[in-house]
């Protein structure tokens, strides 16, 4: 009889610990589920914040800002081509190292594609670039724009308008003389 009582006690102890371990597993599963839910919420919030940020607002380097402005003007004038890109690369190598300049052109091309109007890009970007550059550097940027963006009879008006907007936003003297 004492053997039967020992077996029943062993079964009872095993059942007690089985249910205790099972309940602990359920509780830890709930905690893990909540932690995963909080992690997912954090990732979604970070993604929303990144999506709300404009590619223009993310520019923190004057070479990238200048390259983006020049690309926007070239696209506004419908003269953005491989030849223009090569001219821009050569001109920007005067102010930056090759790796940075290449990245700046790639980023500028992508950033300008995110907008329907290149004039909007200039209006938003030029004050940011102006805050990064001094007067002499702004003049250098305008010199690079005038060398890189070609003038043709088709784009003369658009080019002049874009250059005027950029000059105004950079705080430079604007020449209103008609060519």
């Amino acid at each position: 009889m004492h053997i039967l009582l020992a077996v029943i006690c062993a079964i009872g102890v095993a059942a007690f610990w089985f249910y205790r371990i099972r309940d602990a597993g359920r509780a830890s599963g709930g905690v893990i589920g909540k932690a995963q839910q909080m992690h997912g919420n954090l990732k979604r919030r970070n993604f929303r914040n990144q999506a709300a940020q404009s590619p223009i607002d993310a520019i923190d380097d004057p070479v990238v800002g200048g390259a983006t402005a020049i690309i926007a003007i070239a696209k506004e004038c419908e003269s953005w081509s491989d030849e223009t890109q090569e001219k821009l690369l050569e001109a920007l190598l005067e102010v930056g190292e090759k790796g940075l300049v290449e990245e700046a052109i790639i980023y500028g091309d992508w950033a300008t594609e995110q907008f329907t109007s290149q004039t909007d890009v200039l209006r938003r970007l030029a004050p940011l670039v102006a805050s990064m550059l001094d007067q002499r550097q702004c003049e250098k940027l305008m010199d690079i724009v005038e060398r890189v963006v070609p003038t043709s009879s088709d784009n003369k008006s658009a080019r002049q308008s874009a250059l005027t907007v950029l000059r105004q936003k950079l705080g430079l003297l604007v020449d209103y003389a008609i060519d």
Side-chain angles (χ1 to χ4, degrees):
M1 185 72 173
H2 63 286
I3 296 178
L4 183 62
L5 187 61
V7 169
I8 292 175
C9 285
I11 292 173
V13 167
F16 171 79
W17 284 110
F18 171 78
Y19 286 108
R20 291 285 301 236
I21 291 172
R22 187 185 73 178
D23 289 343
R26 286 182 182 165
S28 66
V31 170
I32 291 171
K34 288 295 181 184
Q36 288 174 338
Q37 183 181 8
M38 287 176 25
H39 179 71
N41 289 341
L42 181 64
K43 285 178 72 174
R44 281 189 296 279
R45 185 180 58 133
N46 288 340
F47 178 76
R48 279 192 305 270
N49 290 343
Q50 283 181 336
Q53 187 178 25
S54 167
I56 300 300
D57 297 336
I59 295 174
D60 60 354
D61 185 82
V63 175
V64 176
T68 305
I70 295 168
I71 292 168
I73 291 172
K75 287 183 177 183
E76 181 73 19
C77 299
E78 297 179 2
S79 62
W80 182 243
S81 63
D82 290 338
E83 181 182 331
T84 309
Q85 186 172 349
E86 284 299 318
K87 285 183 189 177
L88 178 59
L89 178 63
E90 290 172 15
L92 289 179
L93 284 175
E94 299 170 9
V95 295
E97 61 186 43
K98 185 172 178 138
L100 174 65
V101 169
E102 288 173 344
E103 287 180 23
I105 292 173
I106 291 168
Y107 185 85
D109 191 25
W110 172 80
T112 56
E113 290 294 324
Q114 307 307 307
F115 291 85
T116 56
S117 170
Q118 299 308 314
T119 306
D120 289 343
V121 175
L122 284 177
R123 291 182 201 283
R124 293 185 66 188
L125 178 64
L128 179 66
V129 172
S131 70
M132 292 185 228
L133 302 175
D134 61 25
Q135 191 76 13
R136 184 185 56 76
Q137 291 169 328
C138 288
E139 289 290 346
K140 178 75 173 168
L141 175 62
M142 291 305 301
D143 179 53
I144 292 172
V145 171
E146 291 174 4
R147 281 187 295 156
V148 169
V149 180
T151 304
S152 68
S153 59
D154 295 340
N155 73 0
K156 191 172 188 178
S157 176
R159 182 178 185 271
Q160 188 60 39
S161 175
L163 290 175
T164 301
V165 168
L166 184 59
R167 275 193 171 283
Q168 287 173 337
K169 297 293 182 177
L170 290 176
L172 300 174
L173 185 62
V174 178
D175 182 16
Y176 288 104
I178 310 269
D179 293 325

